[in-house]
Amino acid sequence: MNDNPLLALKALGQHVWLDNLSRTLLQDGTLQRLISADGIDGVTSNPAIFQKALADSSCYREDLERLRGSSLDAEGRYESLVITDIQAACDLLRPACVSSLGATGYVSLEVSPALAHDMAGTIAAAQRLYQAVGRENLLIKVPA
């Protein structure tokens, strides 16, 4: 019997996703530990998760200072901050994606909810984000 409830779930065929992502989790090794020791095989993100990460961590300070003087709009700044984190999480989960033949090992990134009633805009944004992240194990979320 497995004493780790997350690994016990995995043994039953369940896939456990972490509903959190931050640069702190990436830099301090927590996400890698959750993947290696606890069998986490997916990570979800959304603007609210990243807003909390930005507010709670000093890891973004340098990037925020750099972006303060940029000509990017709010969405461009957001994407500039989060794409690096999404790429790093995708890289950590890539072995799970490869070994499961694509059944697990994904990281989600949400298309802007402002596009909820714009199908063409949603598709274009999804394609643009997928290209910007450049990882096969990216899962684009479409808010509904």
Side-chain angles (χ1 to χ4, degrees), residues 77-98:
R77 289 178 185 182
Y78 165 77
E79 290 175 5
S80 175
L81 288 168
V82 304
I83 285 175
T84 302
D85 293 353
I86 296 288
Q87 289 171 324
C90 283
D91 292 346
L92 291 176
L93 283 161
R94 181 162 170 64
C97 190
V98 170

Side-chain angles (χ1 to χ4, degrees), residues 40-122:
I40 296 295
D41 56 12
V43 174
T44 187
S45 73
N46 62 46
I49 287 170
F50 276 115
Q51 188 275 333
K52 182 174 175 8
L54 290 165
D56 293 349
S57 173
S58 62
C59 294
Y60 296 94
R61 189 170 292 135
E62 224 175 90
D63 285 338
L64 288 168
E65 287 296 323
R66 176 182 49 80
L67 288 169
R68 184 167 284 141
S70 83
S71 62
L72 293 172
D73 63 7
E75 187 171 347
R77 289 178 185 182
Y78 165 77
E79 290 175 5
S80 175
L81 288 168
V82 304
I83 285 175
T84 302
D85 293 353
I86 296 288
Q87 289 171 324
C90 283
D91 292 346
L92 291 176
L93 283 161
R94 181 162 170 64
C97 190
V98 170
S99 69
S100 71
L101 302 175
T104 64
Y106 290 89
V107 179
S108 73
L109 178 59
E110 188 173 295
V111 172
S112 173
L115 298 169
H117 300 288
D118 178 358
M119 184 175 68
T122 296

Side-chain angles (χ1 to χ4, degrees), residues 18 22-34 57 59 92:
L18 179 65
S22 72
R23 198 163 291 170
T24 302
L25 292 174
L26 292 161
Q27 290 182 352
D28 71 7
T30 299
L31 182 55
Q32 181 61 63
R33 183 190 56 74
L34 289 169
S57 173
C59 294
L92 291 176

